[in-house]
């Protein structure tokens, strides 16, 4: 059950906390060809790299003439990372690899309760240079830094060359991960948080069934309805879902498909009139139509006790698709299944031919406090987090970076799951904005739970839309 609700947990929005700091930095110029950004003292990245230059004080020998990191000789940065189920050893290995590549030393702090460890020193004005700490934690430290504009602008990191490689950071990060409110929280076109370890959600199905029937995976919703009609003729339903809670990831991806990041941002912040736009109507229409293709037993089993029975419908070829996350394989590992069953996963179909298809993902974040002393060296470390070396180290611990080609470093079903963004799908990310408590009004009860009634016929699409508009007005008036 814990794994089953990960996507929903990532949709829980921000709480208040403490801490403050200094203002952020403006984005720097494009940095290509392997050059490092300007050092903190204003010297160029090539300072000290001329032949015959004396070594910096405190170093054992002069930097090589072609060393792009010569300006950082003797520099030590502090990195603080939350310790999770992935462990802390991977962070030490990455820090050591970074030092070996750049010569920049790393003082590493990891702890399961990182906020308690770094909090006191930050209250005194001493900040780590890099912090890996995601949003959505109870202490809400990252959210507070965002709220107080105390996170440095790292837009220029995207154009930097990954240390030890020739590719730019932006060439390695999968599409969509830097176009979300979770990395660009101010809507100013700049990136402040670096996307880290992620897990994709999507539509899971029996690939063996489609191969047996000669059916193709739909790439548009029109193709989805055509498949639904073919399946119905053979007494197979097109769709099911474990519980309505799984429609959070589904709805988010659908909103991106219908209107892109701009529509998603407006919708999740309850902009006035947003639910009466063509993009919103497209979302409502697709879900309402999908309800008519859903196995009718689904609502009765869509609860915390019986949800696996809905998942079993896919294993028994009584439904083709269901929204879920990568944990489904382990969750149903001991369940019986149809002969020839094998897992398949796809992003949501595009709204129209040639349109974008999206897969929702939750992910962690790394960032630089605007009060950090070594911001330029810190940016090099953030860039290194997307190197092949770092990705390999992380993956060995089960932490998967959102980079193109990551599936080549994985095994088993993870190869298919994590190659979803290599195959043309874009990543949908973000969640509904938090609002002050409103009696009887919750995101799930307004947007997700009515799907049960749509399937059973107890609610019409028009009634659902009217309720969404009314509740959204209240949410907007009570935004935190």
């Amino acid at each position: 059950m814990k794994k089953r609700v990960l996507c929903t947990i990532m949709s829980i929005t921000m709480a208040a906390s403490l801490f403050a700091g200094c203002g952020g930095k403006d984005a720097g110029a494009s940095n290509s060809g392997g050059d490092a950004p300007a050092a903190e003292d204003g010297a160029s990245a090539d300072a000290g790299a001329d032949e015959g230059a004396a070594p910096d004080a405190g170093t054992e020998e002069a930097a090589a003439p072609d060393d792009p990191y010569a300006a950082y000789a003797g520099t030590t940065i502090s990195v603080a990372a939350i310790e999770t189920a992935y462990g802390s050893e991977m962070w030490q290995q990455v820090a050591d690899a970074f030092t070996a590549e750049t010569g920049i030393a790393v003082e590493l702090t990891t702890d399961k309760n990182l906020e308690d460890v770094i909090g006191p020193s930050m209250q005194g004005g001493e900040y780590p240079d890099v912090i890996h700490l995601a949003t959505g934690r109870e202490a809400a430290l990252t959210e507070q830094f965002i709220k107080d504009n105390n996170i440095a602008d790292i837009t220029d990191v995207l154009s930097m060359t990954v240390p030890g490689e020739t590719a730019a950071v932006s060439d390695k990060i999968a599409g969509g991960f830097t176009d979300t409110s979770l990395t660009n929280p101010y809507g100013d076109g700049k990136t402040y948080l670096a996307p880290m370890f992620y897990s994709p959600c999507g539509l899971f199905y029996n690939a063996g069934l489609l191969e047996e029937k000669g059916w193709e995976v739909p790439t548009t919703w029109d193709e989805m309805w055509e498949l639904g009609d073919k399946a119905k003729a053979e007494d197979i339903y097109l769709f099911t879902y474990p519980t309505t809670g799984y429609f959070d990831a589904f709805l988010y991806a659908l909103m991106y498909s219908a209107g892109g990041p701009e529509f998603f941002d407006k919708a999740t912040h309850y902009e006035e009139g947003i639910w009466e736009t063509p993009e919103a109507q497209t979302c409502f229409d697709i879900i309402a139509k999908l309800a008519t293709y859903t196995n009718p037993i689904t609502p009765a089993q869509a609860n915390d006790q019986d949800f696996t029975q809905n998942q079993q419908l896919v294993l028994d070829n009584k439904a083709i698709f269901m929204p879920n996350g990568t944990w489904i394989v382990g969750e149903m590992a001991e369940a019986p299944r149809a002969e020839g069953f094998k897992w398949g996963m796809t992003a949501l179909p595009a709204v129209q031919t040639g349109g974008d298809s999206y897969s929702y993902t939750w992910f962690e974040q790394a960032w630089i406090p605007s009060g950090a002393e070594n911001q330029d060296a810190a940016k090099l470390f953030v860039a290194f987090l997307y190197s092949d070396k770092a990705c390999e180290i992380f993956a060995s611990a089960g932490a998967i970076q959102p980079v193109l080609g990551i599936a080549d470093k994985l095994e088993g079903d993870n190869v298919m799951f994590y190659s979803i963004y290599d195959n043309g799908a874009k990543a949908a990310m973000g969640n509904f904005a938090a609002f002050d408590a409103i009696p009887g009004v919750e995101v799930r009860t307004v947007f997700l739970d009515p799907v049960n009634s749509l399937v059973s016929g107890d609610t019409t699409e028009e009634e659902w839309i009217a309720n969404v508009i009314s509740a959204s007005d209240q949410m907007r008036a009570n935004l935190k």
Side-chain angles (χ1 to χ4, degrees):
M1 278 297 295
K2 183 177 181 181
K3 289 184 178 180
R4 180 177 65 83
V5 295
L6 279 177
C7 282
T8 301
I9 290 174
M10 291 307 297
S11 299
I12 298 174
T13 46
M14 301 177 179
S17 184
L18 35 90
F19 306 119
C22 305
K25 293 178 64 179
D26 292 333
S30 175
N31 182 19
S32 59
D35 293 334
E40 287 76 15
D41 60 3
S44 74
D46 294 327
D50 293 336
E51 186 174 358
D56 288 346
T59 60
E60 296 181 358
E61 59 183 21
D66 59 349
D67 181 4
Y69 311 111
Y72 299 98
T75 298
T76 298
I77 63 172
S78 60
V79 175
I82 185 71
E83 180 182 345
T84 63
Y86 304 131
S88 60
E89 180 58 28
M90 65 178 189
W91 280 106
Q92 187 61 61
Q93 293 178 18
V94 168
D96 292 344
F98 173 73
T99 300
E101 182 62 43
T102 66
I104 300 172
V106 177
E107 291 181 351
L108 179 65
T109 299
T110 61
D111 197 272
K112 295 179 179 179
N113 298 304
L114 187 65
E115 299 94 335
D116 296 338
V117 175
I118 64 177
S121 60
M122 291 199 296
Q123 285 181 306
E126 296 181 11
Y127 300 89
D129 294 305
V130 179
I131 297 177
H132 173 260
L133 187 68
T135 56
R137 288 177 57 80
E138 184 176 356
L141 186 150
T142 300
E143 286 91 335
Q144 192 62 37
F145 268 70
I146 293 172
K147 179 181 177 181
D148 294 339
N149 294 288
N150 289 329
I151 294 183
D153 176 6
I154 60 170
T155 308
D156 52 342
V157 172
L158 299 178
S159 60
M160 288 171 55
T161 300
V162 177
E165 301 181 7
T166 59
V169 173
S170 60
D171 293 333
K172 303 202 69 173
I173 298 178
F177 276 88
T178 55
D179 298 322
T180 167
S181 59
L182 291 177
T183 54
N184 305 7
Y186 306 119
D188 58 0
K190 298 178 181 179
T191 299
Y192 294 83
L193 297 96
M196 293 288 289
F197 319 132
Y198 78 107
S199 179
C201 301
L203 297 179
F204 287 73
Y205 62 96
N206 177 7
L209 173 63
L210 269 61
E211 292 174 3
E212 175 189 339
K213 299 293 185 180
W215 296 338
E216 298 290 333
V217 176
T219 59
T220 67
W221 281 104
D222 284 340
E223 292 177 1
M224 181 70 88
W225 310 136
E226 292 174 5
L227 176 59
D229 293 336
K230 292 179 182 178
K232 186 176 181 180
E234 301 196 27
D235 296 323
I236 302 173
Y237 286 91
L238 178 68
F239 192 71
T240 188
Y241 51 90
T243 70
T244 56
Y246 282 74
F247 269 90
D248 60 353
F250 182 97
L251 178 60
Y252 291 149
L254 184 59
M255 286 195 288
Y256 268 90
S257 297
E262 182 177 359
F263 169 70
F264 176 86
D265 186 64
K266 292 179 179 179
T268 52
H269 287 80
Y270 323 110
E271 181 175 292
E272 186 172 1
I274 193 64
W275 300 112
E276 300 170 87
T277 61
E279 293 84 357
Q281 189 64 51
T282 294
C283 295
F284 290 130
D285 288 347
I286 287 174
I287 294 177
K289 188 168 184 176
L290 190 59
T292 68
Y293 283 90
T294 298
N295 190 310
I297 200 175
T298 299
Q301 300 177 161
N303 55 67
D304 291 343
Q305 291 73 44
D306 304 317
F307 71 95
T308 56
Q309 295 183 39
N310 283 336
Q311 296 176 166
Q312 187 67 42
L313 295 174
V314 174
L315 277 69
D316 292 340
N317 291 338
K318 295 180 180 179
I320 300 179
F321 295 106
M322 66 173 166
N324 223 301
T326 55
W327 56 86
I328 183 63
V329 175
E331 193 168 64
M332 301 299 286
E334 303 302 322
R337 60 203 63 206
E339 183 178 354
F341 182 92
K342 59 181 179 180
W343 286 110
M345 176 189 178
T346 184
L348 262 64
V351 169
Q352 57 189 4
T353 302
D356 292 326
S357 60
Y358 281 88
S359 165
Y360 184 80
T361 188
W362 62 266
F363 66 91
E364 302 177 31
Q365 303 95 30
W367 43 280
I368 299 173
S370 57
E373 292 185 5
N374 303 296
Q375 291 191 23
D376 290 322
K379 290 179 179 180
L380 279 175
F381 183 82
V382 172
F384 186 75
L385 296 177
Y386 302 99
S387 67
D388 290 346
K389 181 62 177 177
C391 289
E392 180 181 349
I393 293 171
F394 286 138
S396 67
I400 310 302
Q401 281 290 69
V403 299
L404 296 170
I406 191 65
D408 296 338
K409 299 178 175 62
L410 306 178
E411 298 178 350
D413 288 323
N414 276 339
V415 175
M416 171 186 60
F417 297 152
Y418 285 94
S419 64
I420 192 168
Y421 302 118
D422 295 340
N423 297 328
K426 290 188 175 182
M429 289 159 283
N431 43 254
F432 281 105
F435 52 87
D436 292 326
I438 305 171
V441 177
E442 299 288 348
V443 166
R444 175 164 176 166
T445 59
V446 171
F447 293 98
L448 312 181
D449 286 348
V451 174
N452 277 337
S453 297
L454 288 172
V455 175
S456 65
D458 295 329
T459 295
T460 66
E461 179 183 358
E462 291 72 23
E463 290 171 338
W464 179 37
I465 294 173
N467 187 49
V468 166
I469 292 173
S470 175
S472 185
D473 290 340
Q474 297 179 66
M475 294 171 178
R476 181 173 61 257
N478 288 276
L479 278 172
K480 287 185 177 294

